[in-house]
Amino acid sequence: MGFVDEVTVFVRAGRGGDGSASILREPYKPMGGPDGGDGGRGGDIVFEVDPGARDLSLLADHPHQRAEDGKGGRGRNRSGGDGEDLVVRVPDGTRVEDERGLLADLVGAGSRAVVARGGRGGRGNAALAGPKNRVPHSAEAGEPGEDKRISVELRIVADVGLVGLPNAGKSTLLSRLTAAKPKIAAYPFTTLTPNLGVAGDTERFVVADIPGLVEGAHEGRGLGDRFLRHVTRCRALVLVVDLSVDQPAADLATVRAELEAYDPALAARRAVVVGTKADLVEDAAAAASALDPDALAVSGLSGSGLDALAERLGALARHAAAQEQDRRPTVVLRPARPSFIVRREGERFRVVGRNVERWVSEADFDDPAQVERLQRRLAKEGVERQLALTGARRGDEVVIGDRAFEFQPEGGADGQA
Ligand SMILES: Nc1nc2c(ncn2[C@@H]2O[C@H](COP(=O)(O)OP(=O)(O)OP(=O)(O)O)[C@@H](O)[C@H]2O)c(=O)[nH]1
Ligand SMILES: [Mg+2]
């Protein structure tokens, strides 16, 4: 029973379908013409939170994910069908990064993000026909889908996290507070992966039982701090201390130090100290308050103190939830890939891009209004700015499609500035 909370995945979205270059030729119909339809869009790869998903093992087993390609366009102006999106179900708290950084942090049932975008379909020759070329004999190819490597990480989202030394009684508490049935045993490191349970009757809150920490966990001792990342998103912490050991205060200090060493923000997180195994000590209440004035003493065995603990945790979760806002999914929106590029060709500059070339080819240069409109459009698309950034100066020759212009930036986007 593995628990996968880190995995590298190769995602490839669908390719856009090619446009068709069909020319209608029918007997007795001399007026045939280009009737090639557009290609369909390639499918996206979408990650969606499914509260039923426990970890990332599905992705670990299937690290290559592909979405369907778009279909090619056909004659008689038939468009190709879009490729189907591939929806991958991931657990709550899944973070996705690519080589450019954070892509999405998915928190909450149903939140979703596109992790690889399908390519656009190519236009058919029917769509490409224009006054300058009434019968295009070629069509656009479909765009490739995004193809990349992503790092996927799970950070469990829970209201309350139980942390403490091995054998302190964390899993016992989880089993008493929730319906979860974690493994409980009289030796350390019984729990090897985080367990989750839902507590509370009216107000429900999620409790995470984190594998035991030992001194030096942040340096890799014991199970190390591998699981502490799951604590980073708990709204509140329960520091679980076995009251029956020689020096409970030393254990508490160790836990606090390991949390702090992992992430100073964790040391500041709202926390309750809970002394367990109250049944094994003489004066549990006194032992607990020696640890911390607000500490609770409980026994997972006799059940003493558990109601008070559940109430305290419920209030804590409620309070924390009311205060914080950062539990929403984060999906990083990036600008789409640029719609054109600027290349330097000796003394000249060439702008290459499907849209900009089309605008230029469609413009009637004898009509000043159209020329002005074209220039505004190019400026809005960022062509001037990009030319200036590439080093173009006022008066330089700029080629777009089969037309040459003189660089006359409007908006102060001037290479000399
Ligand atoms: N007497 C007594 N024993 C307890 C109590 N709580 C837990 N235990 C026992 O302590 C041992 C450890 O309990 P677990 O709940 O497995 O401890 P844990 O903190 O989850 O331990 P790890 O998973 O190893 O980190 C088990 O033998 C439990 O039965 C308690 O309140 N009283
Ligand atoms: Mg345990």
Side-chain angles (χ1 to χ4, degrees):
M1 264 246 299
F3 174 85
V4 180
D5 54 7
E6 244 177 351
V7 61
T8 297
V9 181
F10 301 87
V11 285
R12 168 131 52 106
R15 188 184 170 83
D18 294 338
S20 157
S22 164
I23 308 257
L24 176 66
R25 278 186 240 279
E26 275 182 38
Y28 316 117
K29 273 206 182 165
M31 299 304 286
D35 70 347
D38 300 340
R41 192 181 63 81
D44 293 337
I45 296 184
V46 177
F47 278 14
E48 184 178 293
V49 170
D50 174 359
R54 186 175 151 270
D55 69 356
L56 302 172
S57 47
L58 182 125
L59 283 172
D61 292 343
H62 305 279
H64 292 269
Q65 298 281 339
R66 281 203 63 170
E68 199 187 12
D69 293 341
K71 305 274 186 306
R74 287 179 297 158
R76 296 174 203 266
N77 293 306
R78 284 170 298 182
S79 305
D82 291 342
E84 208 170 310
D85 292 344
L86 176 72
V87 179
V88 180
R89 316 229 165 258
V90 296
D92 194 5
T94 296
R95 284 166 61 91
V96 183
E97 287 189 11
D98 64 10
E99 72 285 355
R100 288 160 74 190
L102 182 69
L103 194 62
D105 189 357
L106 296 171
V107 176
S111 52
R112 46 171 32 220
V114 174
V115 299
R117 207 163 279 287
R120 281 177 295 203
R123 284 177 299 162
N125 62 347
L128 294 172
K132 280 183 52 199
N133 186 357
R134 297 190 177 280
V135 187
H137 286 269
S138 62
E140 286 172 346
E143 221 179 36
E146 270 188 296
D147 181 0
K148 61 186 174 183
R149 191 168 87 158
I150 56 176
S151 314
V152 186
E153 185 186 300
L154 171 62
R155 291 194 192 169
I156 284 178
V157 178
D159 295 294
V160 175
L162 303 174
V163 288
L165 298 196
N167 217 38
K170 301 177 294 299
S171 300
T172 304
L173 281 184
L174 182 74
S175 74
R176 297 298 303 245
L177 292 168
T178 74
K181 298 200 172 16
K183 184 172 172 190
I184 293 170
Y187 51 83
F189 301 118
T190 306
T191 303
L192 297 175
T193 64
N195 296 307
L196 289 181
V198 179
D201 299 325
T202 45
E203 281 169 301
R204 295 155 69 80
F205 55 96
V206 177
V207 181
D209 166 26
I210 311 294
L213 288 175
V214 295
E215 189 174 349
H218 70 278
E219 292 162 342
R221 290 255 196 94
L223 293 172
D225 58 9
R226 190 165 125 51
F227 293 106
L228 276 180
R229 76 158 66 123
H230 299 298
V231 181
T232 57
R233 287 220 262 217
C234 293
R235 286 172 166 152
L237 302 181
V238 176
L239 309 184
V240 182
V241 180
D242 182 347
L243 291 177
S244 72
V245 301
D246 278 350
Q247 295 191 343
D251 286 2
L252 178 59
T254 301
V255 173
R256 285 198 161 127
E258 290 305 322
L259 289 176
E260 167 125 45
Y262 183 78
D263 179 357
L266 279 181
R269 186 78 36 102
R270 221 178 296 274
V272 195
V273 176
V274 173
T276 57
K277 311 195 188 179
D279 54 289
L280 296 181
V281 295
E282 200 73 19
D283 187 351
S289 39
L291 288 175
D292 183 289
D294 294 323
L296 293 172
V298 306
S299 167
L301 209 68
S302 74
S304 73
L306 289 177
D307 286 345
L309 175 60
E311 207 169 293
R312 178 83 80 87
L313 296 184
L316 206 65
R318 192 167 52 225
H319 191 73
Q323 291 219 326
E324 77 175 84
Q325 312 269 308
D326 63 356
R327 282 288 190 94
R328 308 221 185 89
T330 315
V331 175
V332 179
L333 295 176
R334 292 186 182 147
R337 58 190 116 176
S339 61
F340 65 89
I341 55 167
V342 174
R343 264 201 317 253
R344 196 176 195 136
E345 293 180 346
E347 296 289 287
R348 307 194 305 183
F349 293 84
R350 182 179 287 280
V351 182
V352 183
R354 181 189 292 182
N355 282 344
V356 290
E357 285 175 37
R358 180 162 52 96
W359 297 339
V360 169
S361 75
E362 283 171 2
D364 176 355
F365 284 81
D366 294 328
D367 179 352
Q370 285 201 33
V371 173
E372 196 181 312
R373 181 157 158 262
L374 172 66
Q375 181 154 16
R376 271 205 310 273
R377 245 176 155 177
L378 292 175
K380 192 160 168 237
E381 192 73 7
V383 173
E384 282 188 358
R385 217 176 86 82
Q386 195 55 40
L387 277 164
L389 287 172
T390 315
R393 288 162 177 253
R394 192 174 290 276
D396 283 348
E397 190 182 341
V398 173
V399 178
I400 305 179
D402 51 11
R403 291 201 85 108
F405 303 84
E406 191 171 288
F407 187 42
Q408 293 289 358
E410 268 188 330
D414 198 327
Q416 291 154 55

